[in-house]
Amino acid sequence: MTDSVRSALEQDGPTLERVDSHLNPPASYDLADHPVPTGREEVWRFTPLKRLRGILDGEASDAHLTWETSLPAGVTLSTITTEEARELGELPPNERPAALAVALAGGAALLDVAAEAELDEPVVLRLKGTSVDDLVWGHLVLRIGAHARATIVLEHTGSARYCATTSVLVGDGAEVNVLSLHDWDDDAVHLARDGIRVGRDARVRHTAISFGGDLVRMHANVEYAGPGGEAELLGLYFADAGQHIEHRLFADHTAPNTKSHVVYKGALQGQGAHTVWVGNVLIRKVAVGIETYEENRNLVLTDGCQADSVPNLEIETGEIEGAGHASATGRFDDEQLFYLRSRGIEEAEARRLVVHGFFNDLVRKVGVPELEERLLATVEEELEKNVSHGGSAPASPRGTV
Amino acid sequence: MSTLEIKDLHVSVDTEDGPKEILKGVALTIKDGETHAIMGPNGSGKSTLAYSIAGHPKYTVTGGTVTLDGEDVLAMSVDERARAGLFLAMQYPVEVPGVSVSNFLRTAKTAIDGEAPKLRTWVKDVNAALQRANLDPSFSQRSVNEGFSGGEKKRHEIAQLELLDPKVAVLDETDSGLDIDALKVVSQGVNRFAEAGDKGVLLITHYTRILRYIKPDFVHVFVDGKIAEEGGSELADQLEAEGYDKYTRAAV
Ligand SMILES: Nc1ncnc2c1ncn2[C@@H]1O[C@H](COP(=O)(O)OP(=O)(O)OP(=O)(O)O)[C@@H](O)[C@H]1O
Ligand SMILES: [Mg+2]
């Protein structure tokens, strides 16, 4: 440990000083701290509030999604109270939907992976909604014991207005792969906040995959409970006509020598397809020796799409290993298309190859072999919707880069 | 039998100040078994001719005809032209991230033959073609042209030429930027292709050094969007000695 790391640790001790990040409103369980947004707030300015269908009013509801689970040995699922969930050390809500979900879900589902368990097959939670008329509040805690190795897949299908907070508590030295798949029906509305606390020397990969739904807005937030933790945040999304898909990332480097690596890639096609990616990174004073990199790439396939991409980096210490970000939104590359077609490959097939290629490296990184094929197949299906329209009309994305 | 016939071809590109004519009446006939070399100064329109034959959307044909064995090439889409038997080795091959060379080659071969190649022999064929182009078999797992050196990109074009086996190959400065070993590899590839008979080759180049390895039947001097002079391979030697001066001055 370098001297600077030691002194930083001593200064801050076990409780972190509170940093008022202008990008991230302070976390709190108190609903009064999260007033109903007007749409002008920095964190809400991209979201079409009307299409949330009243979720933010916070009406009580006891509707549920149906759960189908596959739990390998060493994994248990139980119900705990809201207080118990809080005491486990989850990340408190940092916005109204997450606070509402905790307040109104009436307790949490706790998925426990025993310490040192090495799961040889993934935990699968299949959540299915029946109708967008159902308002469902969800509170889920995934607790991975120290030195355990696990892959956890959360699938969302069907329809609902689903507002959920999911806490991922990763024990010291554990290695966990969490995959959240949003394959909703066209009319679903999903607000999600995944809060991840990374234990000392633990490694977590979190992948968000968004295909379906009318509006999906998802946070993935990371904090570190001790030094040496690593978080890889991956995302793949595909927005069709009229869809709003919003991903907000926050890597809060609360401990020294931690790493965050963010890669999100999205494709857009059809009138009114809108994607938002906001990647916030905060490097606190204590977080010396950290490394962070975030990247967002968007591929615009047709006219009439909008991809917003906003990386933000707040740095309070310069004593770091590295920090960088990249953001690019581009239309379909006609030269690539021409090259492939000049080898006899038909236009639709050439487009398919290029889009596959765009997502390929990411799909391989996800690291859940069972899902790789299916992801590529889903990309294929999404493309089918557009291929019939053909055309490579130039798009003018209003990318904020 | 294959004949590529270009008659009075006029081509323009869109610029900010409106369309600009680049090709100003090109006439050229390539019969099977013939190798034609086109030489000309920078900016004279050589790549424009190559791209126009292949159907690049940037170029607008404003007059003239291009036919392959009597079929109207200009009426075909880019991929139809390739399936009809045209191949363009590009001056700047395009990178396609995430698409493996092996997947790309198989997809192209399937498109051109109208059926998937036999799996067992295909892998062997690919490896052999890569090897002859002096590319390690590991290239088949890499993304198309991504991170390839300039020379590797050109040799990859030649491997494709061999595997896709078109009727007429247009090679746009495939010799540029190659060291002497790579130049030999590329030349041998082109010669193997040409010697298979009933093939036409249109070789665009700046340099006579490749003509030491590939013997053209005809040499055309290309200046200001059209052919200024035609001759046999002796014309190449003359160009090497005298340059394009005499033609460019005439064109002004
Ligand atoms: N978009 C454009 N706007 C204006 N001029 C253009 C445009 N595209 C091409 N040109 C011009 O067309 C001419 C022919 O270009 P081309 O690439 O065909 O030349 P070339 O003979 O292949 O040259 P080189 O030997 O350098 O490869 C050049 O003068 C070029 O600047
Ligand atoms: Mg050129």
Side-chain angles (χ1 to χ4, degrees), chain B residues 13-15 20 22 40-49 58-59 91 172-173 206:
Chain B
V13 293
D14 283 331
T15 72
K20 174 185 172 192
I22 310 281
N42 290 132
S44 54
K46 304 181 299 297
S47 291
T48 303
L49 174 64
K58 178 178 147 184
Y59 302 94
Q91 186 172 1
D172 189 2
E173 295 202 27
H206 268 296

Side-chain angles (χ1 to χ4, degrees), chain A residues 145-395:
Chain A
H147 303 291
R149 280 162 188 265
T151 294
I152 301 167
V153 179
L154 258 154
E155 261 185 53
H156 304 87
T157 58
S159 191
R161 283 173 292 154
Y162 183 50
C163 180
T165 180
T166 301
S167 298
V168 185
L169 308 174
V170 186
D172 292 348
E175 233 185 280
V176 60
N177 196 354
V178 178
L179 203 136
S180 186
L181 183 66
H182 311 126
D183 203 0
W184 295 103
D185 291 348
D186 287 346
D187 58 356
V189 180
H190 185 189
L191 301 180
R193 204 290 302 253
D194 286 12
I196 305 163
R197 194 181 293 287
V198 186
R200 186 183 183 108
D201 298 324
R203 285 168 61 178
V204 57
R205 179 187 293 139
H206 178 277
T207 307
I209 295 164
S210 308
F211 289 111
D214 176 62
L215 186 151
V216 171
R217 175 181 146 118
M218 179 174 191
H219 287 262
N221 292 10
V222 177
E223 287 185 18
Y224 301 82
E230 291 180 19
E232 189 175 14
L233 305 175
L234 306 177
L236 187 162
Y237 48 91
F238 204 130
D240 292 320
Q243 258 187 312
H244 178 94
I245 296 181
E246 180 165 349
H247 285 284
R248 308 184 75 92
L249 290 301
F250 182 29
D252 188 351
H253 283 272
T254 48
N257 298 321
T258 49
K259 283 186 187 166
S260 62
H261 192 107
V262 178
V263 184
Y264 268 64
K265 283 187 169 189
L268 298 86
Q269 64 181 9
Q271 198 61 38
H274 186 193
T275 65
V276 179
W277 178 87
V278 179
N280 292 334
V281 174
L282 171 59
I283 305 172
R284 293 176 189 255
K285 237 187 244 117
V286 65
V288 296
I290 67 102
E291 220 180 292
T292 177
Y293 180 73
E294 47 171 357
E295 176 182 341
N296 175 231
R297 297 197 185 280
N298 295 297
L299 182 58
V300 178
L301 300 175
T302 68
D303 266 343
C305 307
Q306 185 180 336
D308 290 295
S309 180
V310 190
N312 289 307
L313 193 56
E314 285 181 280
I315 305 185
E316 298 185 330
T317 175
E319 292 178 58
I320 57 171
E321 283 295 314
H325 59 70
S327 159
T329 296
R331 64 187 222 88
F332 213 82
D333 185 341
D334 286 336
E335 292 302 323
Q336 292 181 354
L337 214 56
F338 172 72
Y339 187 75
L340 296 173
R341 294 182 67 194
S342 78
R343 300 313 185 232
I345 301 169
E346 279 181 42
E347 179 170 359
E349 179 76 15
R351 286 175 163 272
R352 212 171 284 142
L353 276 176
V354 172
V355 176
H356 266 257
F358 176 73
F359 284 124
N360 220 352
D361 55 337
L362 191 64
V363 168
R364 303 226 176 284
K365 272 199 192 127
V366 169
V368 186
E370 296 88 335
L371 274 173
E372 274 185 23
E373 282 295 304
R374 200 175 128 198
L375 286 180
L376 287 173
T378 310
V379 168
E380 194 93 2
E381 278 166 35
E382 293 288 326
L383 277 171
E384 287 294 328
K385 296 183 195 167
N386 182 50
V387 159
S388 48
H389 312 205
S392 56

